[in-house]
Amino acid sequence: MSDHAFRPVASLHCTLLTGDHHDRSRSVVSRESLPEIHVSHMMDRTHLDDVVRTYYHRVDADDLEGMMLLFEADSIYDRPGQESIVGRSAIEAFYRSQPPIRSRRHHLSSLIVEGPEVAVHGSADRITLAGQHSTIGFADFFTVSRSGLFSYRRTFFFVPFA
């Protein structure tokens, strides 16, 4: 395995916190099923919900290869304070450039599907290699192309306004 930020972690965790804060299990789109996504399923809310949840499962599992299978070759990723990251290979290079961590876990508070757009609100816990724990709130906005892959993603982080 190459020495990059995405290393396997012991376990995979991704939960949805409902109004009463009970975990709810969701299906995950398998990597093998992605090439067979049919246009007829493209706007299906359940399918889009599953594709986005699959993304977070793969992030939490440090499955960079699997994450990249969810992006179009010409996808765009926008993050606060950075130039747009354009293209799957540039997005992959961005993730590889991130400092390695011991583990991460996303908690999805809400996920809303409207047409090809998916909005997500939640928090992410992470533990660095030095054992430092941090939690940050986030909001993600995805646009899913007709092929069922992400063509655009924008992330916002909940941090103090300076």
Side-chain angles (χ1 to χ4, degrees):
M1 172 180 276
S2 65
D3 186 24
H4 57 77
F6 287 87
R7 297 184 180 129
V9 292
S11 62
L12 166 66
H13 303 283
C14 187
T15 59
L16 170 69
L17 300 177
T18 61
D20 57 4
H21 301 289
H22 292 289
D23 290 350
R24 204 174 80 193
S25 161
R26 295 291 307 186
S27 63
V28 177
V29 177
S30 71
R31 179 180 301 163
E32 293 76 25
S33 71
L34 285 175
E36 299 178 25
I37 294 172
H38 299 287
V39 174
S40 63
H41 297 294
M42 196 278 297
M43 294 299 169
D44 178 80
R45 287 176 185 256
T46 302
H47 174 76
L48 294 179
D49 182 284
D50 288 345
V51 170
V52 170
R53 288 177 195 281
T54 295
Y55 171 78
Y56 291 107
H57 281 281
R58 290 180 182 177
V59 170
D60 289 349
D62 288 333
D63 181 3
L64 182 59
E65 181 182 314
M67 290 166 51
M68 292 302 100
L69 289 174
L70 298 172
F71 286 88
E72 291 284 357
D74 60 351
S75 291
I76 299 171
Y77 180 30
D78 284 324
R79 292 170 58 101
Q82 295 180 300
E83 296 288 322
S84 293
I85 304 168
V86 180
R88 183 188 305 129
S89 60
I91 294 169
E92 181 176 353
F94 165 77
Y95 280 115
R96 288 188 186 280
S97 74
Q98 299 304 295
I101 63 171
R102 183 179 302 162
S103 68
R104 74 175 57 79
R105 180 179 179 173
H106 285 83
H107 307 276
L108 307 184
S109 301
S110 62
L111 191 152
I112 301 167
V113 177
E114 184 63 38
E117 308 289 326
V118 181
V120 180
H121 172 254
S123 63
D125 296 323
R126 70 178 186 169
I127 302 173
T128 66
L129 294 178
Q132 294 177 313
H133 180 269
S134 64
T135 299
I136 190 165
F138 70 92
D140 263 332
F141 299 88
F142 297 88
T143 301
V144 180
S145 70
R146 294 188 61 76
S147 68
L149 302 176
F150 303 140
S151 60
Y152 182 75
R153 178 178 175 218
R154 174 176 276 172
T155 300
F156 295 96
F157 300 104
F158 296 101
V159 295
F161 184 72

